[in-house]
Amino acid sequence: MSAEFVVGIDLGTTNSVVSYCRLDAETPEASLLDIPQLVAADAVETRPSLPSVWYLTREHEAAAFASALPWNSEPGFVIGEFARQQAAEHPERTIAAAKSWLAHASVDRRAKILPWQAPDEVAKISPVEATRRYLQHLVAAWNDAFSESPLDQQMVVLTVPASFDASARELTREAALEAGLPANLVLLEEPQAAVYAWLADEGDNWRRHVNVGDRVLVCDVGGGTTDLSMIGVADHDGDLSLQRIAVGRHLLVGGDNMDLALAHFVAAKFGEQGVQLNPWDSVSLWHSCRTAKESLLAEDGKDSHKISILGRGRSVIGGTKSIEVERTEVAALLTDGFFPLCEATDRPLRQRQSGFQQMGLPYETDTAVTKHVAAFVHDHQPADQPDQAPTLVLFNGGVFRSEALRNRMLAAFTNWFPTPLVDLRSDLTERNASLDQAVACGAAFYGWSKHRGAIRIRGGTARSYYIGVETAGLAIPGAPRPLKALCVVPFGMEEGTQTDIPSQEIGVVLGEPATFRFFSSSVRKEDQPGQMLSQWTDDELSETDSMEAELPAGADLEDPFVPVRFQSKVTELGVLELWCVSTNSDGRWKLEFSVRESTE
């Protein structure tokens, strides 16, 4: 059975969205999948998005909740709107931000660690398992709606942050295949998907808005993360082409931080009425503030919004307490706190309040998005053109639905660059500018475009990749030998290509377990295969998951330490094959992990 639909899935940190269109459509018209989910203890509704929250049900709830959905679900947990509501009363039984845990290389992402720091009696699952269950819910919702066109037989494009390294991408793919997505699913960077959504909105007119040499800054600020990319416009055989030329770090700062900041502000207002609240612990207040923020910052938002809490405990006298928050004060709080005007040379602050910190996700200490954007632009200017700056900006993510926040970011650009940046979405209608659904819609358009041979964004690998090589020399008690990094994949290496790695012979261990260490860099764009680094900073190279493996040894092998040279290949499926080729025999051994950034 051939695919009828292309399905774009935005597996978001905060919310997930599914968009689709027919592959045989002459003009792609993306539609959103209505996703059934529990919205209250006794109510199921369809929504255009699925909150990426998992709730471990209590024993007396399990059977009722499992039978509430139109398909047979695994008992013991709930995903979606009701799970998000339960976070207020049972935070120790809920999982959020599983996607960010997939990017957190400091933990074992296959280990059962979530909910993080939950009591021992609470059953835990891994970040990979949580991701699988979110995707399973989406697969079941699709199959329920399109029973004659099951999802595993469609063309599926699943988006990932541009900042995801090879390991995070591979773990996402692993979870997707276990959830029932097709083996040929495509992974696409989220900022690229946002660009494809813009291309779909503009149709054939997109070329009127860009010129050769333009650089498009994609600024994607969602509920939990900030994702930055740079897209270049070039001439390709007399026609305009797009190429991704830079990606940023995985920044854990976004709309959730804003909700918490507003909760602190509101808690202080309640305090003036004699109502004492702890906004760090009051998740319900946090959720109320999210609703207030979205209402007040909407372009047609009201001048004020009432926030109410139920009276309970000794500190609250009587019944419900309410306060009004004004649109102007909320806008000022969030624009100044998260988008302060700053200089192009300003950088995010890194200081800590204490030498001791609770382990968890590496949230950004500095919430000034403008400073993170300034750092990204500075880090990715061409080495031979230090004054070259982006000329266009494409906003994406639910945060930028607010005109006030878009305008503040544009004001910062005006301070930094001699020529104001052009907002590519400034003239689009509200229907076309649904920024929290654009990634899913763009993914669907990308799949349709790929199927039809239309416009695509080139890029190759978004990082350079390295292997760790232990140096030879005298051993010192208690001191490991220094490690060097050998470049095996250069920045921008295209899928379907391979290269020999020029280097001295390097020994590889065979026939016994060994640890192979891998590193990547999004800023060292000039490194070439064979280049050996003796030292580097944490900002230049980051270590991906190490690989524990035992390479097979032949029966006649006398020495388990064999001299080799390397060959690297990025397959059409985006998998890096690193071949260790013996220099004294015909032996060849392969190590591989996914480095897919997007699919051609």
Side-chain angles (χ1 to χ4, degrees):
M1 177 179 177
S2 59
E4 299 176 61
F5 297 94
V6 56
V7 182
I9 300 177
D10 174 15
L11 182 65
T13 307
T14 306
N15 293 286
S16 296
V17 181
V18 178
S19 178
Y20 61 95
C21 65
R22 298 196 64 89
L23 276 171
D24 59 3
E26 288 301 318
T27 302
E29 291 290 341
S31 301
L32 295 179
L33 177 69
D34 289 325
I35 305 170
Q37 56 198 280
L38 214 63
V39 298
D42 57 354
V44 171
E45 295 180 5
T46 60
R47 301 284 174 87
S49 64
L50 177 76
S52 303
V53 183
W54 177 95
Y55 167 61
L56 176 67
T57 57
R58 291 166 293 178
E59 186 173 350
H60 67 278
E61 300 170 321
F65 290 168
S67 62
L69 291 169
W71 56 82
N72 292 326
S73 178
E74 297 178 48
F77 68 92
V78 172
I79 290 171
E81 178 58 36
F82 184 67
R84 179 162 63 182
Q85 296 170 16
Q86 291 300 93
E89 298 296 332
H90 304 286
E92 78 286 352
R93 303 181 72 87
T94 55
I95 296 172
K99 181 175 172 181
S100 292
W101 284 102
L102 276 184
H104 193 15
S106 297
V107 300
D108 182 352
R109 291 167 275 188
R110 289 192 176 90
K112 296 182 178 182
I113 59 175
L114 302 179
W116 184 251
Q117 295 185 330
D120 292 341
E121 63 269 18
V122 174
K124 298 180 179 65
I125 61 176
S126 71
V128 175
E129 176 70 5
T131 303
R132 176 186 72 82
R133 293 185 178 187
Y134 295 152
L135 288 170
Q136 272 188 323
H137 189 110
L138 299 178
V139 170
W142 172 274
N143 290 342
D144 183 64
F146 295 91
S147 58
E148 297 182 358
S149 304
L151 194 56
D152 63 357
Q153 297 179 24
Q154 308 311 308
M155 180 179 183
V156 176
V157 181
L158 176 62
T159 64
V160 293
S163 53
F164 263 22
D165 66 10
S167 296
R169 282 177 163 82
E170 185 60 18
L171 292 170
T172 302
R173 180 183 290 275
E174 175 185 316
L177 296 181
E178 291 177 355
L181 294 178
N184 62 347
L185 75 99
V186 173
L187 296 185
L188 179 69
E189 294 171 8
E190 289 165 7
Q192 286 195 37
V195 175
Y196 280 112
W198 175 76
L199 291 171
D201 290 339
E202 290 291 346
D204 293 336
N205 292 327
W206 73 269
R207 292 175 178 84
R208 299 179 183 178
H209 299 281
V210 300
N211 297 292
V212 172
D214 275 339
R215 289 157 64 88
V216 182
L217 173 61
V218 185
C219 227
D220 186 350
V221 184
T225 59
T226 292
D227 207 2
L228 305 171
S229 285
M230 195 83 74
I231 307 291
V233 183
D235 180 277
H236 183 69
D237 296 334
D239 196 8
L240 290 177
S241 66
L242 301 174
Q243 182 172 15
R244 189 260 294 112
I245 54 180
V247 299
R249 296 189 304 109
H250 193 68
L251 301 172
L252 293 181
V253 59
D256 291 345
N257 302 74
M258 297 181 183
D259 301 335
L260 186 57
L262 184 55
H264 274 258
F265 175 76
V266 169
K269 280 185 165 289
F270 274 115
E272 294 172 1
Q273 297 183 2
V275 180
Q276 299 303 313
L277 297 174
N278 182 344
W280 289 98
D281 296 331
S282 181
V283 183
S284 57
L285 176 60
W286 192 354
H287 290 315
S288 297
C289 288
R290 176 188 295 119
T291 302
K293 177 198 71 177
E294 293 173 351
S295 171
L296 292 171
L297 294 186
E299 293 190 22
D300 57 350
K302 297 180 179 179
D303 292 334
S304 65
H305 185 94
K306 180 184 291 187
I307 295 179
S308 302
I309 59 170
L310 295 177
R312 60 188 180 192
R314 294 181 179 178
S315 61
V316 180
I317 308 300
T320 300
K321 299 290 185 178
S322 302
I323 63 166
E324 292 277 345
V325 289
E326 303 294 327
R327 176 187 177 99
T328 53
E329 60 184 359
V330 170
L333 172 73
L334 299 182
T335 52
D336 293 340
F338 292 87
F339 293 87
L341 292 176
C342 64
E343 300 298 325
T345 53
D346 286 347
R347 296 293 175 267
L349 300 177
R350 304 287 185 191
Q351 81 261 19
R352 303 289 180 184
Q353 296 299 316
S354 171
F356 297 105
Q357 276 204 317
Q358 192 176 44
M359 294 299 294
L361 287 173
Y363 293 104
E364 295 300 320
T365 331
D366 194 330
T367 59
V369 173
T370 42
K371 293 182 181 179
H372 290 288
V373 174
F376 170 77
V377 171
H378 176 270
D379 290 344
H380 293 284
Q381 286 180 330
D384 57 342
Q385 301 178 54
D387 295 330
Q388 184 172 345
T391 52
L392 307 166
V393 61
L394 182 68
F395 291 119
N396 195 61
V399 165
F400 284 123
R401 286 185 300 177
S402 165
E403 184 178 12
L405 300 183
R406 292 198 308 271
N407 288 341
R408 175 55 69 89
M409 194 71 244
L410 288 170
F413 293 147
T414 300
N415 288 347
W416 300 348
F417 307 125
T419 303
L421 266 64
V422 175
D423 179 3
L424 287 176
R425 281 198 173 273
S426 62
D427 61 345
L428 292 180
T429 66
E430 180 63 28
R431 180 180 66 84
N432 289 334
S434 185
L435 300 185
D436 46 3
Q437 300 166 351
V439 166
C441 294
F445 175 74
Y446 165 79
W448 178 90
S449 180
K450 178 177 182 291
H451 179 72
R452 307 281 290 206
I455 181 67
R456 59 186 172 87
I457 301 170
R458 300 176 180 271
T461 58
R463 288 170 171 75
S464 306
Y465 287 89
Y466 308 76
I467 57 171
V469 179
E470 183 180 315
T471 58
L474 298 172
I476 301 173
R481 289 190 177 96
L483 193 72
K484 294 186 178 182
L486 176 68
C487 180
V488 293
V489 175
F491 179 89
M493 184 171 175
E494 294 287 348
E495 294 170 356
T497 62
Q498 63 183 30
T499 185
D500 293 326
I501 312 301
S503 69
Q504 297 178 340
E505 291 182 346
I506 293 173
V508 65
V509 178
L510 303 179
E512 60 184 66
T515 299
F516 299 91
R517 297 178 66 182
F518 296 94
F519 300 83
S520 69
S521 174
S522 62
V523 295
R524 295 189 63 98
K525 300 179 184 178
E526 307 303 321
D527 289 351
Q528 295 301 309
Q531 187 167 342
M532 186 77 82
L533 307 183
S534 299
Q535 57 185 8
W536 57 86
T537 66
D538 291 342
D539 290 336
E540 290 181 303
L541 260 65
S542 59
E543 186 166 5
T544 65
D545 286 348
S546 61
M547 178 186 293
E548 301 286 343
E550 180 175 332
L551 300 182
D556 57 348
L557 183 70
E558 298 180 0
D559 187 352
F561 196 64
V562 176
V564 298
R565 295 186 189 276
F566 299 99
Q567 293 176 343
S568 62
K569 176 183 179 181
V570 180
T571 72
E572 295 290 349
L573 294 178
V575 175
L576 167 61
E577 295 180 353
L578 179 63
W579 287 92
C580 308
V581 182
S582 173
T583 60
N584 58 15
S585 72
D586 59 358
R588 290 167 59 87
W589 300 268
K590 182 175 70 172
L591 300 169
E592 67 181 39
F593 61 98
S594 176
V595 296
R596 174 171 297 281
E597 315 297 342
S598 63
T599 300
E600 297 295 336

